[in-house]
Amino acid sequence: MRKNIVAGNWKMNLNRSEGLTLVEDVLSKLPVDNKTHVILAPSFVYLYKVAKMCSDIPKVVAASQDCSANEKGAFTGEVSASMIASCSARYVVLGHSERRTNFTETNELLKTKVGQVFANDLKVIFCCGESLAQRENGVHFDWIKSQISESLFHLSVEEFKNIVIAYEPIWAIGTGVTASTDQAQVVHAFIRNLLVEKYGNEVAEGTSILYGGSCQPNNAIELFSQKDIDGGLIGGASLNADDFVAITQSF
Ligand code: 13P
């Protein structure tokens, strides 16, 4: 059985005290019988503290929003996967569209980053998704296939078990326009079928595929009820404890 996961991507929001207050609020509001795997992805600056705050809480862990493609050395300002692992985080978000667009991250670069993450025994939340123009031109399936295959399909079956995929249509991120449940489900099923073809049923059925893009408490239940949607990667709504916890309980 694959995991239901809700991850909060804080992006470049919240100062230290705001961030730590949010973690306290989220942890206090999660029900004691919480069954969802919850991942918090704060700024690197508070990653260690957030990971420690979650360390005694079942099913709650921390993630970084990115990592360097390099192991170590003269890369001023970069943060290595080994540093992230040493801060008790468990996941690294890779390939977010904001990084692909603003920092020109390519599929090839992301393949290298995946290697760094795995070399440090962390798991990957791998983001993919098309622009509005790509969808309108009908090339979104090919685009998503190339994102996934070029960055991940060198992995072995065993390695792939440490991948979570997040489908985030760029046109739905931060816009208030959510993909319809049908639109999201169709792409999630397409992604799962890619995994069936490459890795077989067991891996495909075991891989959590999250939806991201204006996911809110009022649409999460419908989205998460879809056969191939195993949770969400949440931006704006992850900055509000009530909204985020409500989304985590939307299965
Ligand atoms: P929003 O939920 O703010 O649309 O952001 C989605 C996202 O980019 C999560 O990584």
Side-chain angles (χ1 to χ4, degrees), residues 7 9 11 93 96-98 127 168 172-176 212-216 233-238:
N9 174 11
K11 308 190 181 186
V93 178
H96 193 282
S97 61
E98 288 150 16
C127 304
E168 299 204 306
I173 295 176
T175 58
S214 299
C215 186
Q216 302 281 342
L233 180 55
I234 317 301
S238 75

Side-chain angles (χ1 to χ4, degrees), residues 159-173:
E159 288 172 324
F160 203 90
K161 290 179 180 169
N162 294 309
I163 298 283
V164 171
I165 294 192
Y167 168 58
E168 299 204 306
I170 297 171
W171 47 272
I173 295 176

